Amino acid sequence: MTARKENSTYTLNEKFITDCDLTYAANKIGGRWKIVILDKLGDRKLRFSELKKEFPYISERMLTLQLRALEQDELVKRTVYAEVPPRVEYELTPIALEFLPIFCQLSAWGKKNKALKKSGS
Amino acid sequence: MTARKENSTYTLNEKFITDCDLTYAANKIGGRWKIVILDKLGDRKLRFSELKKEFPYISERMLTLQLRALEQDELVKRTVYAEVPPRVEYELTPIALEFLPIFCQLSAWGKKNKALKKSGS
DNA sequence: GTCATTACTTACAAATTTGTTTGTACCATA
DNA sequence: TATGGTACAAACAAATTTGTAAGTAATGAC
């Protein structure tokens, strides 16, 4: 994404990680924001400003960066309307839709295990 | 994990992210290594050195760090045998086992979409 | 007595990710 | 003429993650 990296261990590991189907997929939705963004867009298409409201403290920069990356990976589709105050809508692509059931299961795991933590400790 | 952070946006966002069931779960397996480690341990318990061999370029430090974090989150169980050259075995806990079907689906997504990329572009 | 083995630890450094601040273009409205 | 709303971009800075290199403890083999 930025300046190219050499043949460091960092890069070799990265290659290893993206060669594997599992981590290839995981990387597409890795980081702090991508999963939640995709999940929100799973309900309906949203404008930039609507997304921003969903995450009270996200910086505009972060939101743009994540959306750009998701667009690049063809997980979201970006539509610009040539209107006076600009309007841009984001929605999931078909391949991103396939993540939604996985998110459901992850979410169920999270819910269950957060509950265990509370009663357990 | 290190020195405590203040009430920065970074932290507020972190809180937001770990409050959500979905991202709470995602964070448990986030980063470069956790998912693959868990996946490998899904087949059978492994020693430290065996795990290391699975990932040709991982540093021992990284492997220990990840294993410690997974142990902390009760996703792996660590067993030390008081033998002469030390022996330590790692295995999944019941709650980690529940991730395995999710990994399968992720992996399937990865496989499918890597194939699409090749034929598409 | 020296070396090898295993599973680490420590101090350090590089790379990446995330956040802050300021600014832009467009037109409408006051 | 000044201000406001939308969806960003650019330069900079902080925080976290990942990697490097060297060292440790115990013990048995040579």
Side-chain angles (χ1 to χ4, degrees):
Chain A
M1 291 281 168
T2 50
R4 300 305 169 257
K5 298 157 272 169
E6 356 69 74
N7 227 56
S8 60
T9 304
Y10 189 92
T11 308
L12 293 172
N13 277 328
E14 192 173 64
K15 250 172 223 154
F16 178 84
I17 287 291
T18 50
D19 277 351
C20 165
D21 290 336
L22 173 57
T23 43
Y24 170 86
N27 271 343
K28 296 287 180 193
I29 55 174
R32 182 171 267 193
W33 296 109
K34 287 180 186 170
I35 283 194
V36 243
I37 292 174
L38 292 175
D39 193 51
K40 291 292 177 193
L41 291 177
D43 295 335
R44 59 187 189 85
K45 56 170 76 161
L46 290 167
R47 298 181 59 177
F48 185 87
S49 54
E50 290 174 320
L51 270 171
K52 197 161 141 37
K53 272 175 216 140
E54 296 284 348
F55 315 116
Y57 304 110
I58 197 175
S59 63
E60 299 193 336
R61 173 186 148 81
M62 256 308 114
L63 188 50
T64 345
L65 278 178
Q66 302 306 311
L67 287 169
R68 288 285 185 275
L70 290 169
E71 198 191 350
Q72 179 95 22
D73 282 335
E74 297 177 273
L75 294 174
V76 311
K77 187 175 152 227
R78 180 167 176 268
T79 314
V80 183
Y81 296 89
E83 296 177 359
V84 183
R87 181 160 65 99
V88 183
E89 285 186 343
Y90 294 91
E91 66 190 302
L92 297 187
T93 63
I95 66 174
L97 285 172
E98 294 173 35
F99 272 123
L100 295 182
I102 298 180
F103 293 168
C104 267
Q105 290 173 260
L106 272 176
S107 194
W109 188 97
K111 187 174 182 181
K112 180 175 166 189
N113 284 90
K114 285 209 292 192
L116 281 181
K117 276 278 153 71
K118 268 185 202 149
S119 65
S121 77
Chain B
M1 291 283 171
T2 51
R4 300 303 167 259
K5 298 158 272 168
E6 356 69 74
N7 226 55
S8 60
T9 305
Y10 189 93
T11 307
L12 293 172
N13 278 327
E14 192 173 64
K15 250 172 223 153
F16 179 83
I17 287 293
T18 50
D19 276 352
C20 165
D21 290 337
L22 172 58
T23 43
Y24 170 86
N27 270 345
K28 296 286 180 192
I29 55 174
R32 181 171 269 193
W33 296 109
K34 287 181 186 169
I35 283 195
V36 244
I37 292 174
L38 292 175
D39 194 52
K40 291 293 177 192
L41 291 176
D43 294 336
R44 61 188 186 86
K45 57 170 74 161
L46 290 168
R47 298 180 58 177
F48 185 87
S49 54
E50 290 174 319
L51 269 171
K52 199 162 139 35
K53 273 175 216 142
E54 295 284 348
F55 315 116
Y57 304 110
I58 197 175
S59 63
E60 299 192 336
R61 173 187 149 81
M62 255 308 114
L63 188 50
T64 346
L65 278 177
Q66 302 307 310
L67 287 169
R68 289 280 186 277
L70 291 169
E71 197 192 352
Q72 179 95 22
D73 283 336
E74 299 177 272
L75 295 174
V76 310
K77 186 176 151 227
R78 179 168 178 268
T79 314
V80 183
Y81 296 90
E83 296 177 1
V84 185
R87 181 159 65 98
V88 182
E89 285 186 345
Y90 295 91
E91 66 191 301
L92 297 188
T93 63
I95 67 174
L97 286 172
E98 293 174 35
F99 272 122
L100 295 181
I102 298 179
F103 293 169
C104 266
Q105 290 173 260
L106 272 177
S107 195
W109 189 97
K111 187 174 181 180
K112 179 174 166 188
N113 284 91
K114 285 209 292 191
L116 281 180
K117 276 278 155 67
K118 268 184 203 151
S119 65
S121 76

